[in-house]
Amino acid sequence: MSRTRKNDGWAQRYGRRLAVVDAAVVLWATVGALIIRFGVPETEQLNARDQPYIVLSLVLAAGWWVTLSLRGSREATVLGHGTEEYKRVVSASLILFGLVAIVSYALQFDTARGYVGVALPAGLIMLLLSRVIVRRLLHIEREHGRSCLRVLVVGSSTGVQHLADSLRAQPMAGYIPIGAYLPGVEPDASTAGNLDLQVVGRAVEADDIISDIKGFSPDAVALSSSMQLAPETIRALGWALADLNIRLIMAPALTDVAGPRIHTRPVAGLPLIHVSTPNLEKGQRFFKRTTDIIGATVLIIAASPLLAAIALLVRFDSPGPVLFRQERVGTAGECFEMYKFRSMVVDAEARLEQLRDNHEGNEVLFKLKNDPRITKVGRFLRKFSLDELPQLFNVLGGSMSLVGPRPPLAAEVERYDIRAHRRLLVRPGMTGLWQISGRSLLSWDETVRLDLYYVENWSFLGDLTILLRTFKAVVGRHGAF
């Protein structure tokens, strides 16, 4: 088997699969829009009205498919993890239909708006849905250790271990650390004890490193920020790896910083990485707030029968008010009253101190799996997060957002360090990365890290992704108690 097929067999296979799926979807969208707009064309003799749109459908389908390819939506680097693949599908589709609109206007083509209005949304939705399905197939393979890159990690012992742990934390990204290369690091007991990877070599000269890599035969080599190699050695290593068709991955010492904040600018042959300040601009804040108002309004109207039914269940299940009101800390440390359906007995707060010795949460957040204060209806509501639905009115009022960090108690904020205080830069949310990543099962450090990642890397598509994944997390009840 050739090196190319060994490294990129899965990428080529999934690329071909996506190419076939994309072709089927865009043909379905364009031909379907033609039929919906003009009806089924007559088979015996096509009239003058139908002919140009049949040609347009075929040309549009071919152009759509090519644009998806040119936009890089089938590249191996975006398959299987993250939102970049979906962003490229959306941008490719909008670019194509934008060009269609410009050409139609410039050449005065009478393109039916109804035809375009059906083809674009239908095709885009199906393209994204098909990508989700194909990605799930890729995840199934990666769960069994297939369709992944075997990575040799280069750097100091601590840098190698940190990078290896980070790659293992996201198995669906498709990187499996299989070995460590410690250039210039002397072998000793402490180094060997700290690493859980096989040490392949410790040389610092390019020829020796390349010789060791050839013998180990990885699919990719990842250089951590702690590597002790001269720039000339790294350049020679890059050339040699390219000849061997082994991928070279550079891992800078930037953690929890997403793509939109990173900009690369070459200066004198050096790829300088610029990291923008993590602040929502006025336009972004307005857009997020508008989305919150519209989303909360629609959800309140749609869920109004459910809200009424839950209110009745809570009222007749145990004595006390339907709603539980609690003071929480919001944006910039301002306090607000958060609403929830009452899921505990009335004197739950007074009985809290009696239960602290049985605490099962993390270092800051109090949690108890079998909390005796929870009512029968409340236990059901908590399992599916239905008790949090009244927070939609908090979102409508502006004290919360649909997506954001978890709203903390004042007592929790008092225990925050400088890092955790950055969670208060944005509105707290009904859901967030913490909810779709394990909720009560997370440690405090993991909770803070996820919230800070959200605060510093906000994007509309990220919010949309979290909202879609929240439904899966709620139905699966992962980490809810």
Side-chain angles (χ1 to χ4, degrees):
M1 182 181 292
S2 67
R3 163 65 66 179
T4 301
R5 290 182 62 189
K6 176 184 176 183
N7 276 351
D8 299 324
W10 70 268
Q12 294 176 348
R13 183 172 68 255
Y14 274 85
R16 289 192 296 267
R17 182 175 296 180
L18 285 176
V20 172
V21 171
D22 288 347
V25 169
V26 296
L27 275 174
W28 169 84
T30 53
V31 174
L34 174 66
I35 294 175
I36 291 174
R37 180 65 179 82
F38 300 107
V40 180
E42 299 177 3
T43 55
E44 296 181 358
Q45 184 176 4
L46 298 175
N47 57 46
R49 181 201 63 182
D50 294 332
Q51 290 180 3
Y53 277 97
I54 291 176
V55 175
L56 174 62
S57 297
L58 297 177
V59 172
L60 188 60
W64 204 342
W65 188 89
V66 171
T67 306
L68 288 168
S69 180
L70 295 177
R71 191 66 185 86
S73 68
R74 305 185 196 110
E75 291 181 356
T77 53
V78 302
L79 297 181
H81 184 71
T83 60
E84 183 61 28
E85 177 185 356
Y86 304 126
K87 289 179 181 178
R88 295 187 182 187
V89 170
V90 173
S91 63
S93 303
L94 296 180
I95 288 171
L96 175 68
F97 280 86
L99 290 174
V100 169
I102 293 172
V103 171
S104 298
Y105 177 78
L107 301 181
Q108 296 184 349
F109 288 157
D110 187 19
T111 305
R113 289 185 293 272
Y115 170 80
V116 175
V118 171
L120 174 59
L124 184 54
I125 291 172
M126 286 304 297
L127 280 172
L128 294 174
L129 180 60
S130 65
R131 294 300 179 107
V132 171
I133 295 173
V134 174
R135 175 175 288 196
R136 180 54 190 155
L137 296 176
L138 179 59
H139 284 179
I140 292 174
E141 290 205 2
R142 286 181 172 174
E143 287 172 356
H144 294 85
R146 302 190 299 271
S147 298
C148 296
L149 289 177
R150 301 164 57 253
V151 182
L152 175 65
V153 187
V154 181
S156 67
S157 58
T158 54
V160 164
Q161 190 64 57
H162 175 74
L163 181 53
D165 291 341
S166 299
L167 295 178
R168 292 190 186 113
Q170 296 290 342
M172 295 303 101
Y175 298 100
I176 300 179
I178 58 169
Y181 204 98
L182 310 177
V185 177
E186 295 296 331
D188 55 47
S190 62
T191 300
N194 291 335
L195 281 176
D196 56 6
L197 293 171
Q198 175 188 349
V199 178
V200 177
R202 305 173 188 273
V204 295
E205 298 296 330
D207 292 339
D208 296 331
I209 297 174
I210 293 165
S211 178
D212 292 335
I213 291 176
K214 281 183 180 180
F216 197 65
S217 188
D219 298 327
V221 172
L223 305 182
S224 74
S225 58
S226 63
M227 59 186 172
Q228 301 296 320
L229 295 176
E232 295 79 7
T233 303
I234 298 175
R235 181 170 56 182
L237 181 61
W239 291 338
L241 292 177
D243 293 337
L244 295 171
N245 198 28
I246 297 176
R247 298 186 186 185
L248 177 62
I249 301 170
M250 301 291 292
L254 292 171
T255 58
D256 295 332
V257 179
R261 288 184 56 207
I262 298 176
H263 310 277
T264 304
R265 181 183 179 186
V267 176
L270 295 174
L272 301 182
I273 298 177
H274 293 249
V275 183
S276 59
T277 304
N279 289 322
L280 289 183
E281 298 177 356
K282 290 183 179 180
Q284 293 175 320
R285 291 181 185 275
F286 175 78
F287 185 68
K288 182 173 174 62
R289 180 62 188 141
T290 302
T291 304
D292 284 340
I293 293 174
I294 295 174
T297 301
V298 172
L299 289 173
I300 289 172
I301 294 173
S304 55
L306 178 61
L307 293 172
I310 294 175
L312 290 175
L313 289 174
V314 172
R315 180 67 183 86
F316 292 108
D317 178 56
S318 64
V322 170
L323 292 180
F324 173 69
R325 304 165 188 263
Q326 189 176 50
E327 187 177 89
R328 295 292 180 109
V329 181
T331 314
E334 294 183 3
C335 294
F336 69 97
E337 191 175 56
M338 188 185 75
Y339 308 126
K340 297 177 70 173
F341 281 122
R342 183 175 57 83
S343 60
M344 291 186 174
V345 293
V346 177
D347 61 342
E349 293 292 309
R351 295 168 57 182
L352 177 61
E353 292 302 323
Q354 304 173 12
L355 302 172
R356 286 201 180 276
D357 292 340
N358 301 322
H359 171 53
E360 296 176 328
N362 54 46
E363 303 91 308
V364 176
L365 308 179
F366 177 85
K367 292 292 181 180
L368 191 61
K369 287 185 178 180
N370 296 312
D371 196 324
R373 301 172 300 165
I374 300 176
T375 63
K376 292 181 180 179
V377 170
R379 195 168 300 279
F380 173 80
L381 296 179
R382 282 170 168 253
K383 280 186 178 181
F384 296 98
S385 299
L386 296 175
D387 59 318
E388 298 178 2
L389 287 178
Q391 292 170 26
L392 288 169
F393 294 97
N394 286 116
V395 175
L396 202 59
S399 57
M400 291 182 65
S401 176
L402 289 175
V403 182
R406 175 188 170 276
L409 295 166
E412 296 169 0
V413 174
E414 290 176 358
R415 302 177 62 182
Y416 280 6
D417 55 17
I418 296 177
R419 182 174 66 110
H421 266 285
R422 294 187 65 82
R423 301 170 77 240
L424 305 179
L425 291 176
V426 299
R427 285 188 180 93
M430 290 184 63
T431 185
L433 287 175
W434 50 275
Q435 174 138 2
I436 64 176
S437 303
R439 289 187 277 186
S440 299
L441 300 179
L442 297 176
S443 68
W444 175 243
D445 284 340
E446 290 172 328
T447 301
V448 173
R449 183 183 64 82
L450 289 172
D451 283 343
L452 291 184
Y453 182 88
Y454 175 82
V455 170
E456 301 194 1
N457 301 286
W458 178 86
S459 69
F460 172 73
L461 188 58
D463 273 8
L464 183 60
T465 302
I466 290 172
L467 287 171
L468 293 176
R469 291 179 61 187
T470 296
F471 177 78
K472 178 181 177 182
V474 169
V475 172
R477 295 177 292 171
H478 180 58
F481 58 84

